[in-house]
Amino acid sequence: MPNVGGPAQAKRALLVTISKLLYASPTWALISIKTAKNRKSMARVQRATALRTIGAYHTVSAEASFVLACMLPADLLSYKQARLKSRLEEAVDPTTTIAKIKSEERNISINSWQSTWDRSQDGRWTHRFFLNNARWLAKPTISLSFHVIQALSGHGCFRSYLSRMKRAEDSYCGYFMDPDDTAEHTLFLP
C-alpha cells in the first residue's frame, strides 16, 4: 500500500494480525506478559501493523505508532482479555452486566497504557500532541494523511530527520536560514 495516494487510514486497519496475536490470550496472558522479552516480541509484531495502518516511516517508535493508530498495546490487550475472562467466570452480582465489566476493564487498560506512555522515553515529540490517550481514543474517527503523520511523529520531510537517516547532507533549513530544520521548527516557526 502506498503511503501517498493509497487507501485511507480506516481501510488500512489490519486487524487480522491483532486477532492472531491475541488468540487464546486469556489462557497464556498472565504468565507470558511478565517477561520483557515476550512483551517486546508482541510489540514488534503489533508495531508493524500500526505503522502500515497509519502509513508512517519505519523509524517511528512502537509507542508513538500505537497512539497514532489508536491501538492499545498487545500486552495490555491480552492482559485485559485474561482479566475479563476471570471476572466473567467469578461474576457473583447478577446486576453487573457484561457490558459494564468490559467497559471497566477497557478503562483499566487505557489508564495503564497512559501511565506507560507517560513514562516512555520513545515518541516524546508525539507525546507533546497526545498527552491524554483516552481523549484521543474517544475522538470522532478522522483520517490522518501521510503528511499529518509526518508532522505528528517528527519523522519525515524535515532536514534534521533526513540528515540523521543519511538522506541529506546537513540539517540546515534553506527557507529561514535556521541551522536545524526540525518538526518543531517547521510547525512552529518563530
Side-chain angles (χ1 to χ4, degrees):
M1 289 185 283
N3 287 334
V4 178
Q9 180 181 352
K11 294 203 167 78
R12 291 175 181 265
L14 305 172
L15 301 175
V16 175
T17 304
I18 302 303
S19 62
K20 284 185 177 183
L21 189 62
L22 297 178
Y23 181 74
S25 63
T27 307
W28 53 260
L30 297 176
I31 295 169
S32 69
I33 65 170
K34 288 182 180 178
T35 64
K37 181 180 177 183
N38 290 343
R39 289 192 306 272
K40 193 172 185 176
S41 295
M42 291 173 75
R44 187 176 338 114
V45 171
Q46 188 182 15
R47 178 178 170 264
T49 302
L51 290 175
R52 293 309 306 154
T53 300
I54 60 176
Y57 285 110
H58 72 279
T59 53
V60 176
S61 70
E63 292 81 1
S65 64
F66 297 159
V67 170
L68 291 169
C70 296
M71 289 183 179
L72 282 162
D75 59 331
L76 295 177
L77 284 172
S78 63
Y79 191 54
K80 179 186 94 165
Q81 295 288 4
R83 286 191 325 261
L84 185 63
K85 180 183 177 196
S86 173
R87 282 188 65 187
L88 290 175
E89 288 174 351
E90 297 172 0
V92 180
D93 187 12
T95 60
T96 305
T97 64
I98 294 173
K100 183 179 178 187
I101 293 172
K102 285 183 176 181
S103 175
E104 290 171 357
E105 290 301 327
R106 179 166 171 80
N107 289 337
I108 290 168
S109 297
I110 290 172
N111 290 336
S112 179
W113 183 29
Q114 182 67 50
S115 65
T116 304
W117 176 235
D118 290 338
R119 286 190 319 267
S120 174
Q121 296 302 312
D122 297 330
R124 291 295 84 195
W125 173 254
T126 306
H127 188 272
R128 292 174 70 178
F129 296 103
F130 301 101
L131 296 174
N132 187 338
N133 289 345
R135 186 172 172 203
W136 176 240
L137 289 174
K139 68 168 179 35
T141 305
I142 56 173
S143 185
L144 300 175
S145 71
F146 174 66
H147 300 290
V148 172
I149 291 295
Q150 286 184 44
L152 293 174
S153 67
H155 293 233
C157 59
F158 312 106
R159 293 274 302 193
S160 62
Y161 172 78
L162 295 173
S163 175
R164 256 192 350 237
M165 297 296 122
K166 309 281 191 258
R167 300 285 185 210
E169 292 179 17
D170 57 21
S171 63
Y172 196 79
C173 176
Y175 294 106
F176 295 99
M177 306 310 166
D178 193 279
D180 201 22
D181 180 22
T182 61
E184 183 172 12
H185 165 74
T186 302
L187 297 174
F188 305 112
L189 246 65

